[in-house]
Amino acid sequence: MKAGQNPKSIRRRALLDLIVERGYLSLVEASRELGVSEQTVRRDVKAFEKLGKVRRTHGGVAFAGSLSSGTYLKRQLSQTAEKASIARQIASMIPDGASVFLDSGTTCEAISEALLERRNLKIVTYSIRCASHFLGRSDFSVAIPGGFVRHIDGTIIGPHHDDFIEQFRFDYAAIAVSGMDQHGRLSDDDVFEVNRVRAAIGMARETILALTSDKIGLSALINLADLSEVDFVVASGERIPGLERLVKDKNVHLVYSE
């Protein structure tokens, strides 16, 4: 222990590191990993919330700050099995020759890799990381917008209200979100990404939401859409309480990955 540090400071630093790395942490997980009671975790979370670093959710806590490049790398390495499973399922739903919009983020990067099993796809994305997966495929056509590359996650940013997406029509839009609350409201923390995805949903014949378990129950800063506006939700194979009822109420198809 460094001089001047007490056990509470060390525990809170460890808790915040876990929340930042994973994006979301349940109280049960935090209690188990830190070896303290859930009540202790709640007190620590309340202190962080007052500082604006986290958001409390039902049964857990979500990171509310901005990401560094190091944090983004950690996100890439977290929940990789779940993301890969969801990505494979989505790729199996997209036939050869389809036109596809791909959102940005680590889940959509996994989808990009899974789509290499398909042939003759027409891809539109504003993520350099997603587009780079297709560099060696002469049978794929890939369109990306002009602008500046955000170094943290490879997102191409530019005017908030350009018409790049509206130039296209998509068979499928594969999207991910920062959060979906208990009412099925989809949200994100970046207004630029929200505008891109909203446009893509409007241009797509079918929209597929890749929903990892850490995003359920969260509410991010900016409203993106209602769950009823997508056609399919692809979630991990582990059944999630309340999700089946929610998608049924919203008239959305739920597909579990293997």
Side-chain angles (χ1 to χ4, degrees):
M1 183 186 305
K2 292 182 180 180
Q5 286 189 324
N6 58 45
K8 181 196 288 187
S9 298
I10 294 172
R11 182 188 70 244
R12 287 187 173 180
R13 180 70 259 174
L15 174 60
L16 186 59
D17 285 345
L18 286 171
I19 297 168
V20 170
E21 178 178 340
R22 301 183 189 180
Y24 171 82
L25 194 67
S26 72
L27 297 179
V28 173
E29 289 175 317
S31 173
R32 182 176 61 247
E33 297 209 24
L34 297 174
V36 297
S37 69
E38 288 186 35
Q39 185 60 38
T40 296
V41 173
R42 287 191 183 93
R43 286 197 296 268
D44 292 345
V45 166
K46 187 174 182 180
F48 287 138
E49 189 174 42
K50 288 180 179 178
L51 296 173
K53 295 182 177 181
V54 304
R55 294 191 307 273
R56 282 185 292 177
T57 68
H58 180 67
V61 56
F63 180 56
S66 58
L67 292 178
S68 66
S69 56
T71 300
Y72 191 81
L73 176 60
K74 290 180 180 179
R75 291 274 181 93
Q76 284 183 304
L77 300 175
S78 68
Q79 296 179 288
T80 52
E82 183 181 13
K83 291 174 184 175
S85 176
I86 289 173
R88 288 193 297 270
Q89 180 60 51
I90 291 176
S92 73
M93 298 165 64
I94 295 175
D96 294 344
S99 55
V100 183
F101 168 83
L102 279 177
D103 199 357
S104 68
T106 56
T107 302
C108 288
E109 289 168 30
I111 295 171
S112 300
E113 187 170 359
L115 286 175
L116 293 174
E117 297 298 317
R118 305 275 74 79
R119 299 173 59 188
N120 302 311
L121 294 183
K122 296 172 283 292
I123 304 290
V124 177
T125 184
Y126 62 105
S127 167
I128 287 288
R129 293 181 185 271
C130 287
S132 67
H133 283 92
F134 311 121
L135 288 175
R137 293 293 298 269
S138 60
D139 59 321
F140 280 36
S141 61
V142 182
I144 59 175
F148 294 91
V149 178
R150 190 165 61 193
H151 74 279
I152 291 174
D153 59 0
T155 296
I156 302 172
I157 58 176
H160 283 218
H161 299 287
D162 67 10
D163 60 355
F164 174 74
I165 298 299
E166 285 86 346
Q167 300 177 70
F168 303 94
R169 295 292 183 272
F170 309 107
D171 295 316
Y172 302 92
I175 70 170
V177 294
S178 294
M180 183 186 77
D181 69 15
Q182 65 270 29
H183 302 293
R185 291 185 288 247
L186 309 179
S187 54
D188 205 290
D189 291 313
D190 189 303
V191 65
F192 178 80
E193 295 181 22
V194 164
N195 287 336
R196 292 283 204 210
V197 174
R198 280 178 180 164
I201 291 173
M203 298 294 107
R205 179 170 54 85
E206 293 186 337
T207 298
I208 305 172
L209 171 63
L211 187 64
T212 52
S213 57
D214 59 323
K215 300 302 189 291
I216 298 174
L218 298 187
S219 180
L221 182 63
I222 304 166
N223 181 60
L224 191 157
D226 187 81
L227 183 61
S228 61
E229 297 177 58
V230 310
D231 299 284
F232 295 91
V233 172
V234 178
S236 63
E238 182 178 348
R239 266 43 179 180
I240 301 168
L243 180 59
E244 293 183 0
R245 185 177 191 84
L246 178 60
V247 296
K248 183 178 180 180
D249 290 344
K250 298 289 184 178
N251 196 30
V252 175
H253 298 287
L254 175 61
V255 180
Y256 285 110
S257 61
E258 296 182 357

